[in-house]
PDB file of all heavy atoms in Angstrom:
ATOM      1  N   VAL A 474      88.086  -9.594  56.407  1.00  0.00           N
ATOM      2  CA  VAL A 474      87.655 -10.791  57.138  1.00  0.00           C
ATOM      3  C   VAL A 474      87.974 -10.631  58.625  1.00  0.00           C
ATOM      4  O   VAL A 474      87.118 -10.891  59.484  1.00  0.00           O
ATOM      5  CB  VAL A 474      88.358 -12.056  56.572  1.00  0.00           C
ATOM      6  CG1 VAL A 474      88.117 -13.256  57.479  1.00  0.00           C
ATOM      7  CG2 VAL A 474      87.862 -12.339  55.161  1.00  0.00           C
ATOM      8  N   ASP A 475      89.179 -10.169  58.919  1.00  0.00           N
ATOM      9  CA  ASP A 475      89.566  -9.973  60.317  1.00  0.00           C
ATOM     10  C   ASP A 475      88.610  -9.021  61.026  1.00  0.00           C
ATOM     11  O   ASP A 475      88.086  -9.328  62.095  1.00  0.00           O
ATOM     12  CB  ASP A 475      90.994  -9.391  60.398  1.00  0.00           C
ATOM     13  CG  ASP A 475      92.038 -10.500  60.252  1.00  0.00           C
ATOM     14  OD1 ASP A 475      91.644 -11.689  60.293  1.00  0.00           O
ATOM     15  OD2 ASP A 475      93.222 -10.178  60.075  1.00  0.00           O
ATOM     16  N   ARG A 476      88.411  -7.867  60.429  1.00  0.00           N
ATOM     17  CA  ARG A 476      87.517  -6.874  61.029  1.00  0.00           C
ATOM     18  C   ARG A 476      86.127  -7.458  61.269  1.00  0.00           C
ATOM     19  O   ARG A 476      85.541  -7.280  62.328  1.00  0.00           O
ATOM     20  CB  ARG A 476      87.385  -5.662  60.097  1.00  0.00           C
ATOM     21  CG  ARG A 476      88.473  -4.601  60.293  1.00  0.00           C
ATOM     22  CD  ARG A 476      88.118  -3.298  59.573  1.00  0.00           C
ATOM     23  NE  ARG A 476      87.833  -3.498  58.152  1.00  0.00           N
ATOM     24  CZ  ARG A 476      88.773  -3.641  57.211  1.00  0.00           C
ATOM     25  NH1 ARG A 476      90.053  -3.601  57.519  1.00  0.00           N
ATOM     26  NH2 ARG A 476      88.428  -3.827  55.949  1.00  0.00           N
ATOM     27  N   MET A 477      85.638  -8.169  60.277  1.00  0.00           N
ATOM     28  CA  MET A 477      84.278  -8.720  60.374  1.00  0.00           C
ATOM     29  C   MET A 477      84.185  -9.724  61.519  1.00  0.00           C
ATOM     30  O   MET A 477      83.274  -9.662  62.353  1.00  0.00           O
ATOM     31  CB  MET A 477      83.911  -9.400  59.052  1.00  0.00           C
ATOM     32  CG  MET A 477      82.540 -10.034  59.044  1.00  0.00           C
ATOM     33  SD  MET A 477      82.206 -10.855  57.452  1.00  0.00           S
ATOM     34  CE  MET A 477      83.121 -12.404  57.660  1.00  0.00           C
ATOM     35  N   ILE A 478      85.138 -10.620  61.583  1.00  0.00           N
ATOM     36  CA  ILE A 478      85.061 -11.675  62.596  1.00  0.00           C
ATOM     37  C   ILE A 478      85.257 -11.082  63.993  1.00  0.00           C
ATOM     38  O   ILE A 478      84.523 -11.399  64.930  1.00  0.00           O
ATOM     39  CB  ILE A 478      86.088 -12.795  62.291  1.00  0.00           C
ATOM     40  CG1 ILE A 478      85.628 -13.533  61.012  1.00  0.00           C
ATOM     41  CG2 ILE A 478      86.210 -13.765  63.456  1.00  0.00           C
ATOM     42  CD1 ILE A 478      86.503 -14.694  60.596  1.00  0.00           C
ATOM     43  N   THR A 479      86.210 -10.188  64.127  1.00  0.00           N
ATOM     44  CA  THR A 479      86.446  -9.550  65.424  1.00  0.00           C
ATOM     45  C   THR A 479      85.184  -8.801  65.884  1.00  0.00           C
ATOM     46  O   THR A 479      84.720  -8.964  67.022  1.00  0.00           O
ATOM     47  CB  THR A 479      87.606  -8.536  65.305  1.00  0.00           C
ATOM     48  OG1 THR A 479      88.711  -9.193  64.681  1.00  0.00           O
ATOM     49  CG2 THR A 479      88.010  -8.011  66.683  1.00  0.00           C
ATOM     50  N   ARG A 480      84.632  -8.013  64.994  1.00  0.00           N
ATOM     51  CA  ARG A 480      83.465  -7.203  65.364  1.00  0.00           C
ATOM     52  C   ARG A 480      82.286  -8.096  65.740  1.00  0.00           C
ATOM     53  O   ARG A 480      81.612  -7.872  66.734  1.00  0.00           O
ATOM     54  CB  ARG A 480      83.083  -6.313  64.183  1.00  0.00           C
ATOM     55  CG  ARG A 480      82.160  -5.173  64.587  1.00  0.00           C
ATOM     56  CD  ARG A 480      81.440  -4.616  63.384  1.00  0.00           C
ATOM     57  NE  ARG A 480      80.729  -5.682  62.700  1.00  0.00           N
ATOM     58  CZ  ARG A 480      80.834  -5.929  61.399  1.00  0.00           C
ATOM     59  NH1 ARG A 480      81.622  -5.212  60.629  1.00  0.00           N
ATOM     60  NH2 ARG A 480      80.153  -6.929  60.868  1.00  0.00           N
ATOM     61  N   GLU A 481      82.063  -9.145  64.924  1.00  0.00           N
ATOM     62  CA  GLU A 481      80.933 -10.034  65.190  1.00  0.00           C
ATOM     63  C   GLU A 481      81.085 -10.733  66.536  1.00  0.00           C
ATOM     64  O   GLU A 481      80.141 -10.835  67.307  1.00  0.00           O
ATOM     65  CB  GLU A 481      80.824 -11.081  64.081  1.00  0.00           C
ATOM     66  CG  GLU A 481      80.121 -10.589  62.839  1.00  0.00           C
ATOM     67  CD  GLU A 481      78.638 -10.313  63.069  1.00  0.00           C
ATOM     68  OE1 GLU A 481      77.921 -11.230  63.537  1.00  0.00           O
ATOM     69  OE2 GLU A 481      78.200  -9.170  62.801  1.00  0.00           O
ATOM     70  N   LYS A 482      82.298 -11.199  66.811  1.00  0.00           N
ATOM     71  CA  LYS A 482      82.505 -11.916  68.063  1.00  0.00           C
ATOM     72  C   LYS A 482      82.255 -10.992  69.250  1.00  0.00           C
ATOM     73  O   LYS A 482      81.619 -11.373  70.243  1.00  0.00           O
ATOM     74  CB  LYS A 482      83.928 -12.494  68.130  1.00  0.00           C
ATOM     75  CG  LYS A 482      84.081 -13.740  67.263  1.00  0.00           C
ATOM     76  CD  LYS A 482      85.417 -14.454  67.481  1.00  0.00           C
ATOM     77  CE  LYS A 482      85.468 -15.734  66.628  1.00  0.00           C
ATOM     78  NZ  LYS A 482      86.821 -16.299  66.542  1.00  0.00           N
TER      79      LYS A 482
END
Side-chain angles (χ1 to χ4, degrees):
Chain A
V474 170
D475 278 350
R476 273 193 305 281
M477 179 182 79
I478 291 182
T479 309
R480 196 199 56 231
E481 278 292 305
K482 284 189 177 167

